[in-house]
Amino acid sequence: MKKMFWVLLCLVLVTGWSFAPRIHSAPVEEIKIAGQFGLVYAPLMVAQSRKIFEKYGLKPVWKEYGSGGAVREALISGEVDVGFMGIPPFLIGWDKGCQWKAAMGFVVVPVGLVTYDPNIKSLKDFKAGDKIAVPSPGSVQHILLAMAAEKELGSATALDNNIVAMPHPDAAAALISKKGIKAHFTTPPYLFEELSQPGFHLVVDDITIFGHPFSFNVGVASERFHDRRPVVYSSFVNAISEAMAWINANKKAVANLLAPEFKLTPEKTMAYLTWEGMNYTTAPYGLMGFAEFMQKAGYIKKAPQQMEEIAFENVLAFVGSRAGGRSEIEKIQYK
Amino acid sequence: MKVTKLKKKSMNKTLNQGLFIVGVMILWELVARAQWFPVLLFPSLSSVFVNLLTELVNGEIGGRLLFSLYLIGAGLGLAVVTAAVTATSALISPIISDWVQALMAVLHPLPGIAVLPIIILWLGTGPQSIIAVIWFSSIWPLITNLHTGLRSVPATQMEAGRNLGLKGIALIRFILLPGAFPYILTGLRVAWARAWQASVAAEMVFGASGGEGGLGWFIYKKRFFMEIPSVFGGMIVIILVGLLVERLCFEWVEVRTIRRWGMTSE
């Protein structure tokens, strides 16, 4: 009897030990992600440190790039499977024939044009020599400036001769030292840093220009990747969703986790994470609105007629298609 | 006899080079048409030229080119003046010569683009910063060549000039400058190439000059709008201008000066 017990115990242990790993790990699939750094990319940083991708059977391979343009080129050449970029750069690629679609919205953040000059209260007050820094031509910030210029000055290109392309950190340093540039079209955390300087103020902000919030970035995947590796694709979407939800439920923990990475105090990181307008969400906002404006202003040649042309089925299912007129969530895709 | 042979040799060389370039262009077109690489990243040469033509017609590329030439003219002009003053003072005073040599040793290896962040901090963004980078990039080859060139004129030639009764400006005009001319021309050629590199790089790294930008800004902007044929178009314009200046300016001067004086081996 006693012998029987030991044999049984051994059997249980051995089978348990050999089955246990198999239950938790499906075959590991590698996914190459264009990783970026910063407040907007907090979901990626959280997913990485909490090993969320691993939970879904993915082995993330991170690749770093210096600019949005480089991320786009990496996606086209197949160096990465998925990447994140603003809606305008995504649409420029789509217009030029890139076989890709939006896999998710990626974070809504406040965007605004900041100046230190008390005389500049609206776009009309910019003189010919006043430089406005944007990250690059064709970026969200550039297109927003063009939208605002069309609304206030009558022409989308009215301020194109005022723009300088500068990376956010350089432009923020230049603006704060009041050297070289008059204004900076920027995003958090640079937006918050600049606005906390005495006398610095917003000339115009995203909501005034666009009418409502919009996805600052979209997750982009090639159709080839989506079609050939559907399981990896959906695991990726789920992993990012989990990271987003975790951020919303655990802001304090996120602040503590990310503060050393940002070289900020946890309190300041918390203040930035919870700044009015920050929204960690995978819901898409404003996809079609950008497309329609960019086509009208000549930045792209064709605009999508249907969401199907620029978004994958998980995004389409999320937005839905209400019979008898657009639903609320359909409406926010437009300007 | 000898002259015709030489002419034939140079004709052959030109033909050979022409054939090579045409061959490379055909290869490019074939590779692009085979679509081994994404068309977006590797456009066909024909589409590049069609695009270049439309850019030329709508005038943007012409305006950008003029602006680049203005920046380079200003930066290079300033560099020539500074280099001439520095090299002359080095010739007169041995102490200054030592200083100039020390400066050259320290600063010549430094790429102009590496000082751009500092220049932007000091001068802000805009044309003045680009001109400063061009000036910094082109001044060192100029000074090096001027300094060496002026020193390389043999003392016997100077003495011969003095014996012929030449003094002051005349001595410099008829003995010193012609003697140093091969170096001066080399310096100008290197400086011209460096000036182009600096202007394009500065505009592309920082997009520093914005709306009032030259060809560097043109290429930079087209890259972000994914108009890759236009990116190549901008490069082709730079190549054409380089060839044109080499053939029309530098060779023209070379034929009328150092070649006529018998100072080259060719």
Side-chain angles (χ1 to χ4, degrees):
Chain A
M1 194 59 211
K2 203 174 179 188
K3 207 171 175 185
M4 191 69 178
F5 169 78
W6 282 114
V7 168
L8 265 179
L9 186 70
C10 280
L11 222 84
V12 166
L13 279 177
V14 166
T15 48
W17 178 78
S18 58
F19 271 101
R22 244 177 266 165
I23 294 165
H24 290 292
S25 67
V28 172
E29 289 272 7
E30 204 177 84
I31 181 168
K32 288 174 289 194
I33 307 169
Q36 276 162 285
F37 177 86
L39 201 57
V40 171
Y41 304 98
L44 296 183
M45 297 160 84
V46 164
Q48 192 174 12
S49 80
R50 293 185 54 79
K51 303 220 174 298
I52 294 177
F53 288 112
E54 286 79 351
K55 181 178 153 187
Y56 286 86
L58 298 178
K59 180 173 173 272
V61 177
W62 299 95
K63 305 214 168 182
E64 300 274 344
Y65 297 93
S67 71
V71 171
R72 191 164 57 184
E73 282 148 20
L75 264 163
I76 295 168
S77 65
E79 263 176 69
V80 293
D81 300 317
V82 287
F84 302 88
M85 62 185 82
I87 296 175
F90 160 70
L91 288 171
I92 288 170
W94 176 82
D95 178 51
K96 289 281 179 296
C98 291
Q99 304 283 314
W100 67 26
K101 288 179 182 176
M104 65 182 74
F106 193 80
V107 183
V108 172
V109 301
V111 190
L113 181 62
V114 184
T115 183
Y116 59 81
D117 189 336
N119 297 320
I120 298 180
K121 294 191 185 72
S122 79
L123 293 189
K124 291 187 189 76
D125 302 324
F126 282 102
K127 292 184 197 69
D130 294 344
K131 302 275 182 212
I132 302 170
V134 297
S136 68
S139 59
V140 187
Q141 292 85 351
H142 176 206
I143 299 301
L144 282 174
L145 187 68
M147 270 183 201
E150 192 199 39
K151 209 164 157 187
E152 285 190 37
L153 309 173
S155 156
T157 54
L159 291 171
D160 269 11
N161 281 340
N162 294 62
I163 64 167
V164 268
M166 280 175 114
H168 283 303
D170 294 350
L175 192 74
I176 289 170
S177 62
K178 304 186 180 176
K179 201 104 207 184
I181 58 171
K182 265 276 155 69
H184 183 200
F185 218 123
T186 192
T187 45
Y190 307 101
L191 181 70
F192 306 153
E193 237 168 80
E194 288 168 13
L195 286 177
S196 51
Q197 304 288 321
F200 283 54
H201 62 276
L202 277 172
V203 182
V204 66
D205 70 356
D206 50 352
I207 311 286
T208 326
I209 299 170
F210 201 80
H212 58 76
F214 52 83
S215 303
F216 179 64
N217 272 359
V218 281
V220 180
S222 67
E223 288 179 33
R224 188 188 152 95
F225 169 74
H226 166 269
D227 295 348
R228 291 196 183 178
R229 301 172 73 195
V231 178
V232 180
Y233 171 84
S234 51
S235 305
F236 169 74
V237 172
N238 273 323
I240 297 287
S241 309
E242 186 172 328
M244 293 268 187
W246 195 81
I247 291 179
N248 291 329
N250 302 281
K251 289 264 164 73
K252 201 91 197 248
V254 177
N256 287 329
L257 184 73
L258 298 184
E261 307 246 10
F262 293 153
K263 298 194 172 61
L264 295 172
T265 60
E267 293 72 36
K268 206 164 185 187
T269 311
M270 186 66 183
Y272 285 176
L273 282 171
T274 53
W275 200 283
E276 188 182 346
M278 294 291 290
N279 189 0
Y280 286 94
T281 172
T282 57
Y285 284 69
L287 279 173
M288 303 297 271
F290 273 105
E292 283 170 0
F293 169 79
M294 287 171 71
Q295 192 218 8
K296 209 172 68 186
Y299 293 106
I300 53 177
K301 289 190 186 68
K302 57 179 202 277
Q305 298 306 307
Q306 309 289 333
M307 280 273 283
E308 286 95 284
E309 296 171 55
I310 53 166
F312 287 122
E313 66 289 326
N314 58 313
V315 179
L316 298 175
F318 185 95
V319 173
S321 177
R322 184 177 176 274
R326 285 174 187 158
S327 67
E328 288 304 309
I329 199 160
E330 282 173 87
K331 278 185 206 150
I332 57 165
Q333 304 312 319
Y334 295 83
K335 216 178 126 195
Chain B
M1 183 64 206
K2 208 185 156 207
V3 174
T4 51
K5 213 174 162 187
L6 259 176
K7 251 194 177 157
K8 212 174 165 194
K9 205 176 148 195
S10 88
M11 279 264 296
N12 264 339
K13 193 177 148 194
T14 318
L15 189 70
N16 190 8
Q17 287 175 335
L19 281 176
F20 172 72
I21 291 172
V22 170
V24 170
M25 287 163 79
I26 291 172
L27 192 71
W28 178 346
E29 187 70 22
L30 288 179
V31 170
R33 294 203 172 216
Q35 305 208 342
W36 285 336
F37 307 106
V39 186
L40 273 174
L41 301 185
F42 197 95
S44 70
L45 202 57
S46 45
S47 71
V48 168
F49 276 107
V50 167
N51 226 285
L52 183 58
L53 221 66
T54 44
E55 294 286 1
L56 281 171
V57 169
N58 76 23
E60 177 169 14
I61 211 164
R64 298 290 180 201
L65 172 63
L66 284 182
F67 196 76
S68 276
L69 288 175
Y70 152 71
L71 291 178
I72 289 172
L76 202 56
L78 277 175
V80 168
V81 173
T82 338
V85 171
T86 320
T88 316
S89 11
L91 198 65
I92 296 164
S93 146
I95 299 176
I96 294 183
S97 174
D98 288 347
W99 293 351
V100 170
Q101 283 180 36
L103 265 184
M104 279 193 305
V106 173
L107 294 178
H108 194 185
L110 195 61
I113 201 72
V115 296
L116 187 61
I118 297 298
I119 288 177
I120 285 184
L121 283 180
W122 289 350
L123 302 179
T125 62
Q128 71 277 13
S129 288
I130 308 265
I131 290 175
V133 173
I134 294 172
W135 174 83
F136 183 87
S137 301
S138 51
I139 189 170
W140 304 111
L142 281 173
I143 293 187
T144 312
N145 280 289
L146 262 178
H147 193 251
T148 325
L150 292 176
R151 252 142 229 280
S152 71
V153 181
T156 47
Q157 282 183 13
M158 296 292 279
E159 291 304 320
R162 286 204 185 90
N163 280 344
L164 288 170
L166 294 176
K167 266 187 278 178
I169 303 284
L171 189 71
I172 293 172
R173 163 73 184 79
F174 289 106
I175 307 291
L176 195 59
L177 279 185
F181 208 73
Y183 286 93
I184 296 176
L185 205 57
T186 309
L188 282 173
R189 274 189 167 128
V190 177
W192 162 254
R194 287 266 201 115
W196 263 108
Q197 288 167 11
S199 80
V200 172
E203 288 185 344
M204 280 170 66
V205 170
F206 284 80
S209 62
E212 34 184 10
L215 280 173
W217 173 254
F218 176 82
I219 293 175
Y220 183 83
K221 199 174 77 176
K222 294 296 176 188
R223 176 199 168 193
F224 278 100
F225 282 107
M226 293 205 62
E227 292 170 18
I228 308 302
S230 297
V231 172
F232 280 109
M235 281 154 54
I236 288 172
V237 169
I238 294 174
I239 292 172
L240 289 181
V241 170
L243 282 177
L244 223 63
V245 169
E246 171 63 34
R247 284 288 150 96
L248 292 187
C249 300
F250 289 121
E251 269 186 24
W252 188 85
V253 172
E254 193 176 306
V255 167
R256 269 152 198 80
T257 55
I258 51 184
R259 276 205 215 160
R260 205 177 57 156
W261 303 334
M263 293 173 84
T264 53
S265 54
E266 264 186 67

